[in-house]
Amino acid sequence: MFLKTMRYKFLLLLPLLFAVSCNRVPAPVGCALSGHEDHTDYATVAINAEFPIGGSPVEAAIRDTLLSRMYGQWSHVGISDASDSIMPRYSGDFGGGKEPVIYYTRSILGYLSALSAEDHAASGRADIVPWEYRSHLNVAFDTDNFIVFHDECYFYMGGAHGGVAGNGYMTFDKRTGALFTDFLKPGAVQDLQPLIIEGIQSYYASCGEPLGEQELRDRLFLDGDLIPLPSDLPGPAADGLHFVYQQYEIACYADGMVSFTIPYDRIDPYLTPAAKQLLGIGRL
């Protein structure tokens, strides 16, 4: 009887506990930018990264996720196999972000410089075209409810041109410090086709190439009639959700990274309830 009574009381408390967990007060997030650049005759590496530096649980959670995501990028620099890390993960003091930035810059430089020297020796050429890696992580948008980071890196490792990679936009809930990923309703890509087409057309028009729908479809790399959304998550901003396609994702290298913004009032019907709550539609 005692166990049944306790179980009944616990079940009565569940809605209250859920309400409390969902109504946490957003915490302020203070960030600082750390940078380091170094070079040899064969390579140049520069990292600039903005991390939360405070000691609150929310800041610590965001910082840990960012450090993990950035390690995934810095430990591979776009060319090594997914199973290979070019250095161990930094395990020392955070030091306001400066110490890990210096560690990863030097580690990447040693790796790229050695490969570039080998490439140069094998080519038999007298001139040296140094390899290059530049990584930038910064706060892209900040509100009372959430904070958005943007990560992008440029790399040149021989060949005709360099490339761009990175984690793209990363949005964190200031109530919990969790990375938010649940922006669009399941299957929304089908209903969003008119807005996606309009957005991509606006990108090409801004580049001086207005395209009709069929011209656009002929221009893109598509598998079927459906134009996919970018593989990277969208980035909330003051004017709407920003979408960015990576190089070669839907277009050739010369077309750049196709991007567009869908205003909140137009994408509202396709957002999840969680996204609407986080974004505070109408209050940005």
Side-chain angles (χ1 to χ4, degrees):
M1 176 63 71
F2 174 76
L3 291 177
K4 288 183 177 179
T5 301
M6 292 300 296
R7 181 173 180 273
Y8 175 72
K9 290 181 177 180
F10 177 73
L11 290 175
L12 288 177
L13 284 172
L14 275 179
L16 177 60
L17 293 172
F18 179 77
V20 170
S21 67
C22 290
N23 289 280
R24 295 178 184 174
V25 178
V29 176
C31 299
L33 181 66
S34 295
H36 189 68
E37 181 171 347
D38 204 350
H39 68 276
T40 67
D41 290 340
Y42 296 96
T44 296
V45 176
I47 293 178
N48 290 280
E50 192 170 9
F51 292 108
I53 57 173
S56 72
V58 166
E59 289 170 308
I62 296 173
R63 182 168 58 246
D64 288 347
T65 299
L66 287 173
L67 286 169
S68 179
R69 287 293 188 98
M70 297 310 298
Y71 174 66
Q73 176 181 299
W74 292 333
S75 63
H76 293 83
V77 295
I79 61 172
S80 56
D81 294 336
S83 59
D84 296 333
S85 297
I86 66 177
M87 84 287 281
R89 181 167 177 170
Y90 179 77
S91 58
D93 292 337
F94 178 66
K98 186 71 174 179
E99 296 305 317
V101 164
I102 292 174
Y103 168 78
Y104 288 119
T105 299
R106 291 175 175 171
S107 298
I108 295 170
L109 179 64
Y111 177 75
L112 293 186
S113 187
L115 289 183
S116 180
E118 291 178 7
D119 183 65
H120 172 66
S123 70
R125 293 178 358 214
D127 60 317
I128 298 176
V129 181
W131 289 13
E132 187 176 359
Y133 182 84
R134 296 185 180 275
S135 175
H136 195 78
L137 170 72
N138 68 286
V139 175
F141 191 51
D142 191 4
T143 75
D144 291 340
N145 288 340
F146 62 90
I147 184 169
V148 183
F149 290 81
H150 184 255
D151 165 50
E152 186 173 281
C153 71
Y154 167 81
F155 56 90
Y156 172 76
M157 299 170 187
H161 56 72
V164 176
N167 290 288
Y169 291 107
M170 293 173 283
T171 302
F172 293 89
D173 189 333
K174 285 187 175 181
R175 296 169 302 174
T176 63
L179 179 67
F180 188 83
T181 61
D182 188 24
F183 285 100
L184 299 174
K185 295 176 181 177
V189 64
Q190 181 71 53
D191 296 329
L192 279 169
Q193 286 299 294
L195 293 179
I196 295 173
I197 292 170
E198 182 181 326
I200 298 176
Q201 285 176 320
S202 71
Y203 170 81
Y204 280 105
S206 70
C207 298
E209 293 189 72
L211 300 173
E213 182 174 342
Q214 189 56 53
E215 291 177 301
L216 178 67
R217 290 182 177 278
D218 293 340
R219 180 72 166 259
L220 301 179
F221 303 154
L222 299 177
D223 184 13
D225 294 331
L226 197 69
I227 301 178
L229 282 166
S231 56
D232 285 350
L233 291 169
D239 54 348
L241 280 187
H242 289 196
F243 295 86
V244 182
Y245 292 93
Q246 295 301 302
Q247 290 177 330
Y248 298 112
E249 189 172 358
I250 62 168
C252 66
Y253 178 85
D255 284 5
M257 297 171 67
V258 178
S259 60
F260 57 89
T261 301
I262 301 180
Y264 290 113
D265 61 344
R266 302 190 69 189
I267 203 167
D268 187 345
Y270 314 105
L271 295 173
T272 65
K276 290 184 180 183
Q277 180 184 23
L278 180 72
L279 299 174
I281 300 300
R283 299 194 303 274
L284 289 173

